[in-house]
Amino acid sequence: MPKTYSQLLREARAETREVSNDEAQALADAGALVIDVRESDEWAEGHLPGAIHVPRSNFESRIEMFAPERDRPVVLYCAGGTRSAFAAQQLGAMGYTDVVNMVGGFQQWKTDGRPWTKPARLSAEQRQRYSRHLLIPEVGIEGQARLLASKVLFIGAGGLGSPALLYLAAAGVGTLGIVDFDVVDLSNLQRQIVHTTDRLGQKKTESAAAAIRAINPEIRVVAHDEMLADDNVERLIAGYDVIVDGTDTFETRYTLNDAAVRAGIPVVHASVFRFEGQLTAFVPFEGPCYRCLYPTPPPPELAPGCSVAGVLGVVPGTLGILQATEAIKLLLGIGEPLVGRLLIYDALDGTFTELKLRRDPACPACGDGVRAAAVVTSAVPA
């Protein structure tokens, strides 16, 4: 016998547990996935904090991207509780084992005076440019808006900085600062892909800015045509969210490390030597810093620069792209950044080796005494 809409709705509600706003909030606080099944125009008017948007119109085809674990608790809601009831029924048929429907939906949530938020807004051009990011649950509109508002500082526009600059510009990181006092030389072009033959002799900051504008004209580039040193490091790094370290001297790395720890700014570090590279992320007081890894610089003969030892041009490219990946993870707060882990790449073997790193409690930059002093200072009223 054919069924009416009312019969179908009664069946959907009978097959799904319904919860109040209070219960839904408790489930969300306990780690349940909260999914809004309304359409895009409704979502744009506001939604529950932390909710994921999976419109009812293409719900079944997209839900597995956002909720791959079928035993994770899921809270569904719509405007009033009807569309989410049908969506909950479908999830049950797809094998999801812990799905509830929020009674009253978003309308009741707002009526009760509960907190809600409006999504970030992107222009039509931005939606098209970053469309592949918007499809990823870990990024989406909110994450892309965060990238657009982020600031990343590059120390060096050389072999490591080149690919990282291009990819972060393409990804939509809104402000890219570049610290480099050098000019483009013919010997750079074997690996420093942000520069081109027609820009030989040009400042590297200007050359890199031209390449960035060609990829993504909405990115703001801040050029610092100077060498990073003790007397300017605090000024140069101020206001940035993440620093990408492409330096090639131990002295500069120590200067950067100590200032970044004091400022609480994460540093994505990489270095290369011929066919090898190393990569890690230094997040102040969450893991070790550069001085924990290298308490004292090795003798110069054991750590020659590229101009002395040489480097296969693609190796800094590989490490630079990994630096860009780590920077995005830190900016978005996703995944497991390489904090306390050193990734070693061997291009000849095509292998990656990971070493565990530990913070040195006696480190002069980030040790226990330094951290305790920082906590005390931050607790003193201005």
Side-chain angles (χ1 to χ4, degrees):
M1 292 289 293
K3 296 181 180 180
T4 65
Y5 171 80
S6 297
Q7 289 175 317
L8 292 174
L9 179 57
R10 283 196 298 271
E11 289 180 2
R13 283 181 165 159
E15 295 175 17
T16 305
R17 183 164 70 95
E18 296 191 323
V19 298
S20 66
N21 289 342
D22 287 336
E23 293 171 303
Q25 183 67 70
L27 289 169
D29 293 341
L33 198 62
V34 179
I35 298 178
D36 186 324
V37 305
R38 297 173 301 156
E39 297 306 311
S40 296
D41 57 337
E42 297 173 286
W43 168 267
E45 293 303 316
H47 58 80
L48 270 64
I52 296 173
H53 186 216
V54 188
R56 185 69 188 93
S57 55
N58 55 13
F59 184 79
E60 289 81 2
S61 64
R62 298 186 63 194
I63 186 60
E64 291 172 306
M65 293 191 299
F66 296 90
E69 301 172 3
R70 281 172 164 73
D71 57 348
R72 181 178 177 180
V74 176
V75 177
L76 297 177
Y77 75 90
C78 61
T82 299
R83 284 170 290 175
S84 52
F86 285 117
Q89 184 184 45
Q90 288 301 310
L91 284 188
M94 294 174 68
Y96 287 82
T97 60
D98 193 354
V99 181
V100 299
N101 179 31
M102 190 175 79
V103 175
F106 186 60
Q107 293 176 355
Q108 188 62 51
W109 184 273
K110 288 179 66 178
T111 300
D112 292 346
R114 292 179 175 274
W116 55 281
T117 184
K118 279 195 172 185
R121 292 186 179 275
L122 302 181
S123 67
E125 182 178 341
Q126 288 173 330
R127 285 177 175 273
Q128 183 175 5
R129 178 183 289 273
Y130 307 117
S131 60
R132 301 307 186 269
H133 276 177
L134 305 186
L135 295 172
I136 304 174
E138 292 84 354
V139 184
I141 292 179
E142 300 292 339
Q144 188 60 54
R146 187 181 304 177
L147 290 178
L148 289 165
S150 296
K151 299 179 180 181
V152 175
L153 179 66
F154 282 77
I155 312 300
L160 292 166
S162 288
L165 277 166
L166 295 176
Y167 269 101
L168 290 190
V173 174
T175 299
L176 298 176
I178 309 172
V179 178
D180 201 309
F181 63 94
D182 207 354
V183 298
V184 181
D185 183 81
L186 186 61
S187 64
N188 301 147
L189 303 186
Q190 164 252 15
R191 63 201 178 281
Q192 299 180 16
I193 59 171
V194 78
H195 310 300
T196 56
T197 303
D198 63 333
R199 296 201 288 271
L200 290 174
Q202 193 174 27
K203 291 179 179 179
K204 284 188 176 180
T205 53
E206 295 177 358
S207 173
I212 290 169
R213 285 193 295 269
I215 289 178
N216 193 343
E218 75 173 338
I219 303 303
R220 176 175 175 252
V221 179
V222 181
H224 303 279
D225 299 309
E226 53 190 305
M227 179 187 295
L228 186 139
D230 290 333
D231 61 355
N232 65 5
V233 61
E234 293 185 359
R235 169 176 58 83
L236 290 174
I237 70 174
Y240 286 96
D241 302 303
V242 172
I243 300 170
V244 175
D245 177 14
T247 60
D248 56 4
T249 69
F250 282 93
E251 180 181 2
T252 307
R253 290 170 186 161
Y254 287 129
T255 298
L256 173 63
N257 174 80
D258 296 353
V261 170
R262 290 193 300 269
I265 304 173
V267 176
V268 181
H269 166 76
S271 61
V272 295
F273 176 76
R274 293 181 176 169
F275 300 100
E276 301 173 358
Q278 298 183 353
L279 175 76
T280 188
F282 300 123
V283 177
F285 305 115
E286 290 187 20
C289 74
Y290 188 77
R291 283 193 185 273
C292 297
L293 183 58
Y294 296 106
T296 58
E301 63 271 15
L302 296 182
C306 293
S307 61
V308 176
V311 63
L312 188 69
V314 297
V315 173
T318 301
L319 272 294
I321 290 174
L322 290 173
Q323 280 184 292
T325 305
E326 290 298 303
I328 290 175
K329 287 160 60 180
L330 289 168
L331 292 171
L332 295 180
I334 60 175
E336 294 292 334
L338 288 170
V339 179
R341 297 185 289 154
L342 180 67
L343 193 65
I344 301 174
Y345 172 60
D346 188 324
L348 289 181
D349 293 341
T351 58
F352 288 92
T353 303
E354 184 178 302
L355 301 178
K356 295 292 184 181
L357 303 177
R358 290 181 173 83
R359 188 171 64 85
D360 179 4
C363 174
C366 73
D368 293 342
V370 178
R371 184 174 189 178
V375 171
V376 171
T377 302
S378 64
V380 175

